[in-house]
Amino acid sequence: MKKFFEKKKLEYKFKKAGTGHSLTEDTRSAGTSAGPSQQPSGASARPLPNQDVQRAGEAALARMESRPDSVLGTSQKSVQLQVRREMEQEKKAAESATQYNRQMSGPEEVKLESAPVLSVERVLFTCSLSPKCVPKSEIEAHIRECLLMKLADDPIEATSAMIQTLNKDKEKVKVGKETICKYLDNIIANPQDEKFRKVRIQNKAFQERVASLEGTEEFLQSVGFIRQMLPHQESEAEFFVLDAEFATDTDRLNAIKETLLSTQPIQVKLDRNVQVFKPSSNASRFQLPNEFYNLTPDEIKREQQARTDTVEKFAQLRTKAMREREELKEIRKYNYTLLRVRFPDGILLQGVFRAREKVSALVEFVRQNLDNDWMPFVLCTSTGQKLTDEDAMLVSVQLVPAAVVNFSWDQAVINDIAASQGSVDQNQYLKPELLALIHSL
């Protein structure tokens, strides 16, 4: 009986231990598949916890770690370590997924709440025909429009200006004017000869020298030429023909020729865009549009970085040739410069200049806006250098692409005036009409 019970106990132990297997059989896959944590093959991966869940789990772990060791049992420590490992794995998986999504979606778009405020919105130009200010890209169309409007008042002068201004190749303009003058000279010398009063439009010389220039057709029509079909080599061709009545008025034709030869191109003038600002600690801060530079945006950034090394460069001994080469290099970098003249009361007078303009242009700009423009004054850079050489270019005296210049009266002259007149008002600088436009920087 005893043996029987021992046999039953043994059988029970074998059943409890599970099914048997041979010693040469690989049991790793079986053990793994038999575990309680096995997931169905088609089941999806466990979703990653969001940030709030992760923070809550970390806070719980922190509380458990803060307890004394005696409170935590061995099993609790095991659970704590297991939870920590799982959270670290999930965190790494989340970071990897985020990085992958960024790579697949490309660079993020950076949105600015507001763009930087430019010190001057854009560079504007005017011409002698109109006070209107327009950007450089529109100035040619503006001049053309003004000349067309002037046709009704003085067609000969307007069309002569069109030929001179609207054609860029000055050598072609010269040849074209000489050819037209030759036509006029022939008519003046032979007013009754019909052959000199007509020009075939398809003539090769006419097409190359005259018709290719803008404004020549309008000029010929202003003289009195009209388009007309005439017989030519057993067919017809189009001609410019001058009526006999106009041909006999030689005095008028001589005056027209003189106007054509003497008319100068319409000059484009840079608008100073004058502004007056109240005293400000931001006087030396500038935000300039790209058209101030003859550089690409990347080159502008490199230029700003290079300016931090200016002191070291100028501390080195350099030959005259080296200085001239560097000056030429600087000249090519900038198109315009924005200058602010700071008066002793802190008020700022701002204007736009070409980088290649001379210091005399800045002096004249200041003088034109002074209430007492007859009083001599001195302009100094922010480093204290007096701008005495009025023939020097602004780029040569480092007043590009923007700078602040300090104003002061010529004290020696002021003392002489005070000695002779008794007193001088040194505190009045700008014209009252300018001060009426003052605003904050």
Side-chain angles (χ1 to χ4, degrees):
M1 183 65 68
K2 184 177 180 181
K3 289 181 179 181
F4 173 78
F5 282 107
E6 288 178 356
K7 184 178 179 181
K8 289 296 183 182
K9 286 181 181 179
L10 187 60
E11 289 176 356
Y12 175 76
K13 288 180 179 180
F14 273 103
K15 288 180 181 180
K16 187 178 180 181
T19 57
H21 56 82
S22 67
L23 294 177
T24 58
E25 183 180 347
D26 188 358
T27 62
R28 285 175 295 179
S29 60
T32 303
S33 62
S37 61
Q38 180 184 5
Q39 296 180 354
S41 58
S44 60
R46 177 182 177 183
L48 298 176
N50 57 31
Q51 293 183 354
D52 293 336
V53 174
Q54 290 187 27
R55 285 196 292 267
E58 290 174 354
L61 283 176
R63 288 194 299 272
M64 294 177 66
E65 289 176 346
S66 63
R67 297 178 186 176
D69 291 342
S70 58
V71 177
L72 297 175
T74 305
S75 60
Q76 287 179 313
K77 289 183 179 180
S78 300
V79 171
Q80 177 182 342
L81 292 174
Q82 180 65 22
V83 171
R84 180 184 292 277
R85 282 195 297 269
E86 289 185 5
M87 288 188 63
E88 288 177 354
Q89 291 175 358
E90 291 173 351
K91 187 176 181 181
K92 289 179 180 179
E95 290 175 354
S96 299
T98 302
Q99 185 176 2
Y100 176 77
N101 289 334
R102 286 177 180 172
Q103 291 174 351
M104 295 300 292
S105 61
E108 294 182 2
E109 180 183 1
V110 179
K111 295 183 179 180
L112 299 176
E113 292 183 1
S114 60
V117 179
L118 295 175
S119 302
V120 57
E121 289 295 329
R122 53 184 179 175
V123 180
L124 299 175
F125 297 84
T126 61
C127 69
S128 57
L129 302 174
S130 169
K132 182 180 177 181
C133 298
V134 296
K136 187 176 182 179
S137 59
E138 301 174 13
I139 188 65
E140 186 172 328
H142 175 62
I143 292 175
R144 183 181 288 105
E145 181 183 349
C146 292
L147 289 172
L148 290 174
M149 293 177 65
K150 191 178 178 183
L151 277 174
D153 299 329
D154 192 340
I156 297 298
E157 185 177 346
T159 53
S160 298
M162 288 174 70
I163 295 172
Q164 284 281 19
T165 308
L166 303 180
N167 299 285
K168 304 304 179 186
D169 191 332
K170 299 309 174 187
E171 187 59 33
K172 286 190 68 175
V173 170
K174 180 182 177 183
V175 172
K177 287 166 58 179
E178 290 174 351
T179 303
I180 294 174
C181 287
K182 184 65 175 176
Y183 296 153
L184 297 177
D185 286 337
N186 288 337
I187 296 172
I188 292 170
N190 307 278
Q192 302 299 330
D193 195 334
E194 184 181 351
K195 72 176 183 180
F196 292 113
R197 292 190 285 110
K198 60 183 181 180
V199 180
R200 187 166 60 89
I201 292 176
Q202 293 304 318
N203 178 274
K204 184 178 180 182
F206 178 81
Q207 285 294 320
E208 292 179 353
R209 300 176 186 178
V210 180
S212 60
L213 296 175
E214 187 172 354
T216 52
E217 181 173 349
E218 291 84 351
F219 178 82
L220 292 174
Q221 290 175 343
S222 299
V223 174
F225 284 89
I226 59 173
R227 285 176 173 266
Q228 189 174 346
M229 298 297 295
L230 297 175
H232 177 70
Q233 295 180 353
E234 300 180 356
S235 63
E236 285 190 337
E238 192 173 20
F239 287 78
F240 271 121
V241 181
L242 184 65
D243 189 86
E245 182 183 351
F246 292 115
T248 55
D249 191 351
T250 56
D251 290 339
R252 175 178 175 270
L253 293 179
N254 276 314
I256 288 173
K257 189 177 76 168
E258 183 61 30
T259 300
L260 176 63
L261 293 174
S262 61
T263 300
Q264 297 298 314
I266 302 299
Q267 295 297 320
V268 175
K269 184 179 179 182
L270 176 67
D271 179 54
R272 295 294 184 208
N273 197 358
V274 180
Q275 296 190 63
V276 182
F277 298 111
K278 296 176 182 177
S280 172
S281 59
N282 297 324
S284 300
R285 295 184 182 178
F286 297 93
Q287 288 285 348
L288 303 176
N290 290 340
E291 57 188 318
F292 266 66
Y293 304 90
N294 195 22
L295 304 167
T296 64
D298 289 339
E299 288 172 333
I300 292 173
K301 291 180 181 178
R302 288 197 294 270
E303 168 64 17
Q304 292 171 342
Q305 180 62 34
R307 279 184 167 266
T308 60
D309 304 328
T310 301
V311 175
E312 295 180 8
K313 180 186 290 186
F314 279 87
Q316 300 172 357
L317 293 175
R318 296 174 299 149
T319 65
K320 182 180 178 181
M322 290 171 62
R323 289 195 299 271
E324 289 176 349
R325 282 197 301 270
E326 288 178 4
E327 185 174 314
L328 263 173
K329 192 176 179 181
E330 287 291 308
I331 288 173
R332 296 191 188 102
K333 288 179 182 177
Y334 308 106
N335 296 321
Y336 312 102
T337 182
L338 184 66
L339 299 181
R340 289 174 181 161
V341 181
R342 178 163 46 201
F343 292 88
D345 58 2
I347 290 178
L348 299 164
L349 173 67
Q350 177 175 287
V352 180
F353 296 81
R354 294 183 188 271
R356 295 170 182 79
E357 285 191 76
K358 295 182 178 180
V359 172
S360 57
L362 172 61
V363 173
E364 183 61 24
F365 168 72
V366 174
R367 189 177 302 282
Q368 289 175 350
N369 292 289
L370 290 177
D371 191 36
N372 296 318
D373 57 0
W374 58 271
M375 291 177 62
F377 56 87
V378 178
L379 297 178
C380 297
T381 65
S382 57
T383 59
Q385 175 189 357
K386 291 185 177 180
L387 300 175
T388 55
D389 185 2
E390 294 193 10
D391 290 328
M393 289 188 294
L394 297 173
V395 66
S396 302
V397 291
Q398 303 298 311
L399 295 181
V400 291
V404 176
V405 176
N406 295 312
F407 173 97
S408 63
W409 296 118
D410 189 329
Q411 201 57 47
V413 177
I414 292 295
N415 293 338
D416 292 341
I417 296 173
S420 60
Q421 296 184 1
S423 64
V424 179
D425 185 5
Q426 302 183 44
N427 299 320
Q428 180 66 28
Y429 302 103
L430 295 175
K431 294 178 179 179
E433 55 266 31
L434 268 179
L435 291 175
L437 304 175
I438 195 169
H439 58 283
S440 299
L441 182 61

